[in-house]
Amino acid sequence: MGTTAVAEIWQEVLGVPVADDDDFFALGGQSLAAMEVVAALRRRLGVTVRVRVLLEHPVLADFVAQLALPEEHAPDRI
């Protein structure tokens, strides 16, 4: 999965432009916004991930890298 689709979701939720090296929280994100991102990922992209993954990997490129891991290497995705 590329960063473009995830970046679009972040942009919609946060209301600001997003680049690969941007930090979710530095852009104004907080826990409620993180839950919105996770819900949008599931609804629009069919990706199931726990909010904790975004909390622990708040930089867009790092977060997307976590989503790309096979499920057996990313237990927080389920």
Side-chain angles (χ1 to χ4, degrees), residues 38-53:
V38 167
L41 285 169
R42 183 176 47 251
R43 185 176 58 251
R44 292 175 30 189
L45 305 177
V47 174
T48 300
V49 62
R50 293 179 191 224
V51 172
R52 184 171 79 177
V53 175

Side-chain angles (χ1 to χ4, degrees), residues 20-37:
D20 288 353
D21 61 347
D22 280 334
D23 183 293
F24 184 78
F25 300 104
L27 295 174
Q30 33 47 24
S31 58
L32 181 58
M35 292 189 316
E36 291 178 38
V37 165

Side-chain angles (χ1 to χ4, degrees), residues 55-75:
L55 300 177
E56 293 175 355
H57 303 276
V59 174
L60 179 62
D62 296 338
F63 179 65
V64 172
Q66 292 298 306
L67 299 179
L69 290 175
E71 288 189 28
E72 64 269 13
H73 299 294

